[in-house]
Amino acid sequence: MTATPETPTTSIQRSQKVGDVQFTTTVKGEAVDSRITSLDFDDSGDFMIAASDDEQMHLFDVREGKKTKSVASKKYGVHLARFTHHSRQVLYASTKGDDSLRLLELHSESYVRYFSAHQEMVTCLALSPGSDTALSCSRDDTVCLWDLSSRNPQGKLKLSTPYLAAFDPSASVIAIASQSTSSILLYDVRNYDKAPFATFDLNDLEDRYTPTTKGRAWTRLEFSNDGKSLLLGTDYHGHFLLDAFDGRLKSFLTGRTGSPGRAAPVSSSGKPLGQGDACFTPDGRYVLGGSGEDADALVWDASQGGDASSYLQPAARLKGRERAAVIECNPRYNMIATGDIKVALWLPEESVTL
């Protein structure tokens, strides 16, 4: 499938806030003939990597809006492909054979290093914003802290269902979500082996907002870039927007129509893997997410409070062609990426389609 020749992606402005523009049109789409399980941009915003359930990674040139190559990992499987701070290196989790992480050099398609410590499938992979440090969570109830220059973990925690983790934007705090205990634990990176300095208890919030999926629906944990908010995504009812300092609920983001069709880390549904279908925009003002079974992408204004019951409805609905099972914001350009069977890149007020 070939794109039309007009590709005005160079008009994206690096300095313009995402909140100042309206994303209204899918501008590029390319089928990968499989179901997308994760998306990630490199630091420059010029490249994007997508992992799919046919055991391949797909590299996209963002400025051209097209796929440039696919890299197979048939022996080990692939999920949660993440760029390191070296734009041609990707860290990803194996899905078969063993449960190692693998650091791949994309240009030569050769492995730089393997990281082995988990005994079951990795459920989350997070890169530090400030160094070549990574966090991995696993179904074996462990969380490992890695220096990517060494194949051995720098630290290892044993917790109850610690299936999601995130670095704060200062790279000094780690948040770990434990679904079975309905809690989020905050650790000082320098004292990773010590007790958490704060624990947010979400038991009452789950009883109130997600009672039918309690204990099994958390899909994503992410700090806003200003460090003030913490997003806890779920796969059905909506998403929790929390105060990152005290865990207080700012609002519960609602308005979706069902599941995005991807499995939560604790799920045994047999659905394809995923990374969650909600994320912050780079300025931290908005949360973008899929609408579940519909093709629309939803936009919540995180600066606005919810109603009397703290429910926050979408401020806008962006019309798409297929559901946004996974979603990610470009860190440099005013661009959104969504994926299901097809990867779509969204630009403000411009239209180039396949």
Side-chain angles (χ1 to χ4, degrees):
M1 187 174 289
T2 304
T4 55
E6 48 176 328
T7 54
T9 54
T10 54
S11 65
I12 309 171
Q13 298 178 18
R14 289 179 181 267
S15 61
Q16 189 175 13
K17 289 185 178 180
V18 173
D20 295 336
V21 297
Q22 293 294 323
F23 291 85
T24 57
T25 309
T26 304
V27 299
K28 282 287 186 181
E30 185 152 350
V32 296
D33 300 322
S34 56
R35 290 169 292 192
I36 302 300
T37 62
S38 69
L39 294 170
D40 190 51
F41 289 96
D42 74 338
D43 289 346
S44 71
D46 289 333
F47 296 96
M48 184 182 71
I49 194 80
S52 55
D53 66 355
D54 62 350
E55 300 168 347
Q56 293 194 84
M57 288 172 284
H58 311 276
L59 181 66
F60 291 82
D61 184 317
V62 166
R63 297 182 70 85
E64 295 295 328
K66 65 182 181 181
K67 182 169 65 177
T68 60
K69 71 184 303 183
S70 293
V71 180
S73 181
K74 299 293 184 180
K75 183 176 180 180
Y76 305 110
V78 58
H79 184 40
L80 301 170
R82 301 285 184 256
F83 280 107
T84 70
H85 297 300
H86 309 279
S87 64
R88 289 299 172 144
Q89 289 188 356
V90 169
L91 183 69
Y92 71 91
S94 307
T95 59
K96 64 180 186 180
D98 61 22
D99 302 290
S100 298
L101 306 178
R102 288 177 159 78
L103 183 60
L104 179 73
E105 214 294 322
L106 285 172
H107 179 72
S108 63
E109 298 185 19
S110 60
Y111 289 107
V112 178
R113 195 166 288 110
Y114 298 163
F115 306 89
S116 299
H118 294 300
Q119 303 304 312
E120 293 189 44
M121 190 181 75
V122 171
T123 58
C124 182
L125 189 55
L127 274 294
S128 168
S131 66
D132 286 331
T133 303
L135 276 173
S136 59
C137 305
S138 169
R139 284 184 181 171
D140 65 5
D141 289 343
T142 62
V143 180
C144 289
L145 182 68
W146 305 91
D147 180 335
L148 297 185
S149 64
S150 171
R151 61 177 300 170
N152 299 312
Q154 304 301 298
K156 189 173 186 179
L157 291 175
K158 181 75 172 180
L159 300 168
S160 177
T161 61
Y163 293 164
L164 300 171
F167 285 94
D168 85 322
S170 71
S172 61
V173 174
I174 295 168
I176 300 174
S178 168
Q179 173 113 32
S180 65
T181 63
S182 297
S183 60
I184 297 175
L185 314 174
L186 299 185
Y187 291 85
D188 185 332
V189 173
R190 297 165 299 179
N191 297 293
Y192 181 70
D193 57 342
K194 307 298 184 184
F197 66 82
T199 300
F200 301 155
D201 185 351
L202 276 66
N203 186 68
D204 291 344
L205 294 179
E206 282 206 284
D207 285 339
R208 182 175 182 180
Y209 295 100
T210 60
T212 62
T213 56
K214 185 176 181 179
R216 57 186 175 87
W218 294 1
T219 58
R220 179 153 180 165
L221 189 65
E222 182 184 359
F223 283 94
S224 59
N225 275 342
D226 61 8
K228 297 179 180 179
S229 299
L230 189 60
L231 176 66
L232 178 63
T234 83
D235 78 343
Y236 190 77
H237 295 283
H239 311 296
F240 295 98
L241 184 63
L242 307 172
D243 187 293
F245 297 102
D246 58 18
R248 172 182 53 85
L249 180 71
K250 291 185 173 183
S251 55
F252 185 76
L253 312 181
T254 190
R256 60 196 304 189
T257 58
S259 170
R262 296 294 184 270
V266 298
S267 174
S268 58
S269 64
K271 293 178 181 177
L273 300 174
Q275 66 175 27
D277 67 332
C279 66
F280 282 108
T281 55
D283 62 0
R285 178 174 174 179
Y286 295 94
V287 174
L288 305 177
S291 57
E293 298 173 359
D294 295 338
D296 295 350
L298 305 179
V299 183
W300 293 274
D301 188 343
S303 68
Q304 301 297 313
D307 61 18
S309 299
S310 297
Y311 286 99
L312 183 63
Q313 294 290 335
R317 288 179 176 266
L318 311 181
K319 296 297 182 182
R321 295 181 177 180
E322 62 177 23
R323 67 180 173 186
V326 292
I327 190 167
E328 198 69 31
C329 279
N330 191 306
R332 296 289 182 180
Y333 301 144
N334 286 318
M335 175 181 286
I336 304 164
T338 59
D340 186 21
I341 302 297
K342 179 179 290 187
V343 172
L345 301 179
W346 302 60
L347 289 174
E349 303 297 342
E350 297 185 33
S351 178
V352 179
T353 59
L354 298 179

